[in-house]
Amino acid sequence: MSVTVRVPAKVNVQLAVGAARPDGFHDLANVFLAVGLYDEVTVTARQPGSGPRVTCEGPDAAQVPLDGTNLAVRAAEALAARHGISPDVHVHIAKDIPVAGGMAGGSADGAGALLACDALWGTRASRDELLDICAELGSDVPFSLVGGAALGTGRGEKLRTLETGGTFHWVFAMASRGLSTPAVFREFDRLAEGRDVPEPVASPDLLTALAKGDADALAAAVSNDLQPAALSLFPELADTLAAGRAAGALATLVSGSGPTTAFLVRDAESARKVAETLRTSGTCRSVRTASGPVAGATVL
Ligand code: C5P
């Protein structure tokens, strides 16, 4: 028997980052929007006692770790441990979300595997239990489960669902290499040395823009405090951002810790035009269009 779960990528329309905490994490005001680029996670029962196994297909599959560090495997193990069962499961990831791209691809696989194993094993975990496990797995994993739009506080794992008054259209440019999230946060700390880092707060204008579905107002309000750190580690991203701006994007930003760059556009037609210009700009590896909000992890 198999269960397949579809899980979306995310873009951070606001990522406000506070000073490093004693535990090394940073308090955030993290406004997530789930967008229609998906991984599909399929779990299949294995021989009792054989343990977990993970495989991956897709253009970036070679970069996905297939050992115990894979978030999908860790999700299966965490659920199994809580319910006193053996995680004898084959997890297969059909990967369309860029790897190490700042779009929560690994987190999506963790949330997907968790929901899929819960259905496969009949563990019937409550929503709160699933969210607890997600938060243990990583700061962005709870959002991958719930999807839509949400404000994440704490290290990003404490979620408040946000109203959205419409669909926002995006173009995403994938970079030639990945960026490590811890490395980008370390660079943020280095750049912040000797400066007062304010408490992160969600922008009221941004929340209003989301609630109204107003792309122009959202464009004026998007921000990412990790962007200078990502650009410092990956200066060529400035060329991609400039190419998207010249192509007519309403707003340009690095997605999360990067290096994927995100371009907010007015509608599906301008998404096609901006995507075409970026594709021929020579400043990125590949280009995709997607819109959001979309639902979180869903059993197919
Ligand atoms: O929670 P997650 O495992 O996704 O975080 C990956 C890394 O990103 C952490 O080890 C930490 O270096 C950094 N991080 C952070 N503050 C956050 C979230 C992540 O410093 N709020």
Side-chain angles (χ1 to χ4, degrees):
M1 202 179 88
S2 290
V3 177
T4 298
V5 169
R6 190 169 85 146
V7 203
K10 59 85 181 163
V11 60
N12 307 83
V13 288
Q14 185 188 2
L15 184 45
V17 182
R21 313 191 308 203
D23 66 359
F25 283 90
H26 298 70
D27 278 325
L28 306 178
N30 193 352
V31 183
F32 296 102
L33 184 72
V35 294
L37 278 181
Y38 298 96
D39 281 0
E40 281 185 13
V41 181
T42 299
V43 298
T44 310
R46 299 186 77 201
Q47 195 83 7
S50 59
R53 169 173 184 246
V54 61
T55 53
C56 185
E57 68 175 85
D60 289 352
Q63 297 165 53
V64 175
L66 300 179
D67 57 17
T69 64
N70 188 296
L71 274 184
V73 171
R74 289 179 46 208
E77 287 174 340
L79 182 68
R82 282 189 181 224
H83 291 266
I85 55 181
S86 177
D88 304 317
V89 68
H90 173 200
V91 182
H92 182 70
I93 303 166
K95 179 153 271 309
D96 199 31
I97 306 174
V99 176
M103 296 191 77
S107 299
D109 301 341
L114 184 64
L115 197 61
C117 286
D118 184 51
L120 182 75
W121 296 333
T123 34
R124 304 173 75 91
S126 67
R127 195 75 174 163
D128 281 350
E129 184 183 354
L130 292 175
L131 284 170
D132 274 356
I133 298 174
C134 287
E136 283 166 17
L137 293 171
S139 308
D140 288 351
V141 185
F143 179 72
S144 295
L145 189 73
V146 304
L151 169 63
T153 53
R155 59 185 170 85
E157 86 288 13
K158 292 181 194 140
L159 294 180
R160 171 160 74 84
T161 300
L162 296 175
E163 293 288 311
T164 47
T167 296
F168 296 98
H169 296 267
W170 296 87
V171 179
F172 296 99
M174 284 56 170
S176 52
R177 61 180 166 94
L179 269 179
S180 132
T181 302
V184 175
F185 274 101
R186 274 198 303 275
E187 184 66 359
F188 172 88
D189 292 339
R190 195 184 68 79
L191 295 175
E193 255 166 46
R195 284 194 291 122
D196 258 351
V197 180
E199 287 292 308
V201 266
S203 149
D205 288 352
L206 182 120
L207 300 185
T208 304
L210 278 178
K212 287 189 172 158
D214 183 337
D216 288 298
L218 184 64
V222 293
S223 68
N224 179 1
D225 288 352
L226 290 182
Q227 184 158 317
L231 285 171
S232 167
L233 296 176
F234 200 151
E236 304 91 314
L237 294 180
D239 298 335
T240 323
L241 293 171
R245 200 173 304 118
L250 300 176
T252 69
L253 78 164
V254 169
S255 179
S257 58
T260 302
T261 41
F263 304 89
L264 179 62
V265 293
R266 192 172 309 285
D267 51 27
E269 179 53 29
S270 43
R272 269 189 294 277
K273 283 187 188 145
V274 171
E276 197 42 46
T277 307
L278 277 167
R279 256 180 215 119
T280 53
S281 71
T283 64
C284 52
R285 177 170 58 99
S286 59
V287 180
R288 301 288 298 273
T289 60
S291 56
V294 297
T298 307
V299 177
L300 295 182

